[in-house]
Amino acid sequence: MAIYYGGDYNPEQWPEDVWREDVELMRRAGVNLATVGVFSWARIQRGEGEFDYAWLDRVLDLLHEGGIAVDLATGTASPPPWATARYPGILPRTREGATLWPGSRQHYAPSSPDYRRLASELVHATVRRYQDHPAVVMWHINNELGCHVTYDYSDGAAVAFRSWLRDRYRTIDALNDAWGTMFWSQRYTEFDEIVPPRLTPTSVNPAGLLDFRRFSSDMLLELLRMEKQIIRSYGATQPITTNMMGAFPPVDYWSFAPELDVISDDSYPDPRDPGSFRPAAFARDLMRSLKPGTPWILMEQAANQVNWRPNNARKAPGQMAALSMQAVGRGADGIMFFQWRQSSRGSEKFHSAMLPHAGPETRTFREVSELGAALKSLGTLPPAGRSKVAIVLSWDCQWALDQANHPARFDYLSQVRGWHAAFHALNIPADLINAEISGADAPGGDGYDLIVAPSLYLMRDATPLVRFVEEGGCLFTTAFTDVVDECDRFLPGGFTRRLGPVLGLAVTDFEGVQGTEAAVSWGFPGEHLREVLTLDGAQVEATFSDGEPALTRHAYGAGEAWHLATLAGEAGRTALAAHLAARLGLEPVVAGLPPGVEACRRGDMITIINHNPSPVEAGGEVLGPYEYRVRN
Ligand code: GLA
């Protein structure tokens, strides 16, 4: 498939005479796809049951005549003022009980029956009208589901939460057992007593908070499914997508992925941060990994500066293309922007666009057009294959760990990102995986040589990882792995009850550490946490300064399992990743590249990108600042 190129197109912000110029300039820039209607609800609907699509008919026809395909948005992200005035129950509430009023965007409670009904009516009307329009090649559900309003604590949410809990636990006794409510006199006698985790004197029940986060993610999943079902009920056959936000903490994207035909990501690395290409690579790899074998599109990025950081740097010449080619090299089948034409009014008028307010005679438009031509010249791209390294990413762990009252507080996602970064810095490709999938999609079945599971604190099912090692894989775990069950409860008999035999040890205690308290004899500091281990077959590879085991290795089945009894910072992750790569013979895409130079493999295509603001010598040639090369 040829690569998609374009951006969000918001023609409702402009008089019609501008639309023709838009299409003409889109063609000049090499645009072949426009995402239309993301925030058009108020323009389409003036009141309940009053739809006006005549203007959108003209927009889609014009784009089609210009040879530009349309990713048609369902437009459900921002209910118009008439809707919230008539049905105030649509509005979400914060944990403190404050209402989030209309006047910006995305002010809807995901579980609100009125929101769902009105959003459904809009999707029905739009799909009915455009399912056969020749311009429409994709459906775009909502916009960044969960953005701005991630958690809703309203009375409506309380009703929906209780119903979600009834489905999950059936009886209040089962819920009391799961949440451990004998502690602090929290025992419930009926579901109706339960409220969302609103403001409390001190920490709320951790299993209750974990379930509220699961519920909140599930409410957004329900919205995705609701819209998808409506689209399919008309027999519309175009692929369906929704734009995600990297490893967005509140939404379990493993649960979204099976619903989608195209995976999409919005990505805004800070151009001022010289290291921001690394987390960007993580997001690209996550998108490729969410549903292997499925196309993914970089749905939004900035052509130049954004307007929502306290201070917004422009992208340096070439930087936008470098980050775009990073996505292509890591499997993207589309490069898109927010937005096509810079707004002249409203909250985002200082956000860059493909076509700046100052017009086409600008550096931004020139670079946009150059990239359009470069992407076109790539033709059809090979599919992105699997990597040899996989890093486990679990939203359950993120939700269970981002809580109070642990031996130490640390950021789970930055651990996962950090491990990805360590391999990325070596130019060794890595996928992200959901370690608890069994059956045909189990991690062992994918031919990985190495699985890194940072702080896999909450585990439902260890079988896939156990089998992976049995069958010859190498598993690397770090402190706070295999601590609790699905309901954040310890298992009887101590810790590491499920992975202990594989790791050849048992964890018997934890402590928070600071400074050099957990220095590891391999020459790097341990961070945040230290575990006390009892060895049962594992060999000690490194110790803490008091001689206790810090890093262990255990042969198990046809494979081996390593455990680090602390958390590694950047230095530790770099040393460990290099050691594991050498031990397992993991090859970089291109060897010997200088710092800040990235190499991506996609089938036979190798992309080398200089993310430095200065020229470098890489692979026998000089690459200018932010310059890239594609080799076949
Ligand atoms: C998000 C939204 C867009 C726009 C951009 C600005 O990604 O989806 O509508 O607001 O941010 O960076």
Side-chain angles (χ1 to χ4, degrees), residues 217-274:
S217 180
D218 276 2
M219 289 304 100
L220 296 165
L221 176 62
E222 281 187 11
L223 294 183
L224 179 68
R225 287 188 175 142
M226 173 186 88
E227 294 200 19
K228 180 182 165 177
Q229 273 160 14
I230 296 169
I231 295 168
R232 292 292 178 240
S233 74
Y234 287 90
T237 53
Q238 298 93 337
I240 292 176
T241 196
T242 189
N243 46 342
M244 298 188 261
M245 294 161 278
F248 184 55
V251 181
D252 182 351
Y253 285 152
W254 295 120
S255 75
F256 269 34
E259 305 295 332
L260 300 170
D261 307 306
V262 172
I263 302 288
S264 298
D265 191 36
D266 295 351
S267 170
Y268 293 92
D270 186 354
R272 185 173 270 129
D273 172 0

Side-chain angles (χ1 to χ4, degrees), residues 8 39 105 143-144 243 266 268 300 306 308 338 348 351:
D8 276 23
F39 289 104
R105 66 172 177 185
N143 185 65
E144 296 189 337
N243 46 342
D266 295 351
Y268 293 92
E300 285 185 24
V306 298
W308 41 261
F338 173 83
E348 296 193 304
H351 194 293

Side-chain angles (χ1 to χ4, degrees), residues 84-351:
T84 47
R86 186 182 285 189
Y87 304 105
I90 289 176
L91 299 173
R93 290 249 173 104
T94 64
R95 191 168 176 235
E96 294 78 9
T99 299
L100 297 174
W101 295 99
S104 68
R105 66 172 177 185
Q106 279 156 274
H107 45 277
Y108 63 86
S111 60
S112 153
D114 285 325
Y115 167 73
R116 290 184 176 200
R117 181 174 48 78
L118 293 174
S120 296
E121 284 168 15
L122 174 65
V123 182
H124 272 288
T126 303
V127 178
R128 205 181 297 133
R129 191 167 189 101
Y130 296 116
Q131 54 169 319
D132 294 323
H133 195 287
V136 178
V137 297
M138 206 183 315
W139 295 101
H140 185 102
I141 289 178
N142 202 296
N143 185 65
E144 296 189 337
L145 281 157
C147 181
H148 305 311
V149 181
T150 46
Y151 297 110
D152 167 34
Y153 300 83
S154 64
D155 291 345
V159 172
F161 186 37
R162 288 171 200 141
S163 146
W164 185 91
L165 290 168
R166 269 194 202 95
D167 282 351
R168 185 176 177 85
Y169 294 109
R170 304 282 161 200
T171 67
I172 199 68
D173 288 346
L175 178 139
N176 280 313
D177 182 46
W179 288 13
T181 55
M182 276 307 168
F183 184 77
W184 282 358
S185 181
Q186 293 170 346
R187 190 170 166 275
Y188 296 100
T189 50
E190 48 186 88
F191 281 97
D192 285 345
E193 295 161 2
I194 298 171
V195 288
R198 292 172 176 157
L199 218 52
T200 45
T202 183
S203 53
V204 291
N205 181 297
L209 180 54
L210 173 61
D211 271 349
F212 182 69
R213 289 173 174 167
R214 288 176 174 144
F215 153 80
S216 300
S217 180
D218 276 2
M219 289 304 100
L220 296 165
L221 176 62
E222 281 187 11
L223 294 183
L224 179 68
R225 287 188 175 142
M226 173 186 88
E227 294 200 19
K228 180 182 165 177
Q229 273 160 14
I230 296 169
I231 295 168
R232 292 292 178 240
S233 74
Y234 287 90
T237 53
Q238 298 93 337
I240 292 176
T241 196
T242 189
N243 46 342
M244 298 188 261
M245 294 161 278
F248 184 55
V251 181
D252 182 351
Y253 285 152
W254 295 120
S255 75
F256 269 34
E259 305 295 332
L260 300 170
D261 307 306
V262 172
I263 302 288
S264 298
D265 191 36
D266 295 351
S267 170
Y268 293 92
D270 186 354
R272 185 173 270 129
D273 172 0
S276 63
F277 68 94
R278 246 191 251 299
F282 169 82
R284 323 281 194 232
D285 287 354
L286 173 60
M287 293 301 134
R288 189 190 60 241
S289 303
L290 278 175
K291 197 173 180 188
T294 302
W296 83 265
I297 291 180
L298 175 57
M299 189 56 87
E300 285 185 24
Q301 63 169 335
N304 203 336
Q305 71 276 57
V306 298
N307 69 328
W308 41 261
R309 291 193 175 94
N311 186 294
N312 300 294
R314 306 179 72 209
K315 287 184 172 165
Q319 203 174 6
M320 179 276 285
L323 288 163
S324 303
M325 289 311 295
Q326 177 193 54
V328 174
R330 295 183 174 274
D333 296 300
I335 298 295
M336 310 279 289
F337 296 82
F338 173 83
Q339 57 178 332
W340 160 250
R341 183 187 278 271
Q342 186 168 3
S343 300
S344 67
R345 51 197 75 186
S347 292
E348 296 193 304
K349 58 186 174 297
F350 287 106
H351 194 293

Side-chain angles (χ1 to χ4, degrees), residues 588-617:
V589 175
V590 176
L593 292 177
V597 179
E598 168 175 5
C600 330
R601 179 183 295 121
R602 176 174 183 166
D604 296 334
M605 185 179 102
I606 290 179
T607 310
I608 301 177
I609 308 159
N610 178 18
H611 292 286
N612 296 291
S614 48
V616 292
E617 215 186 302

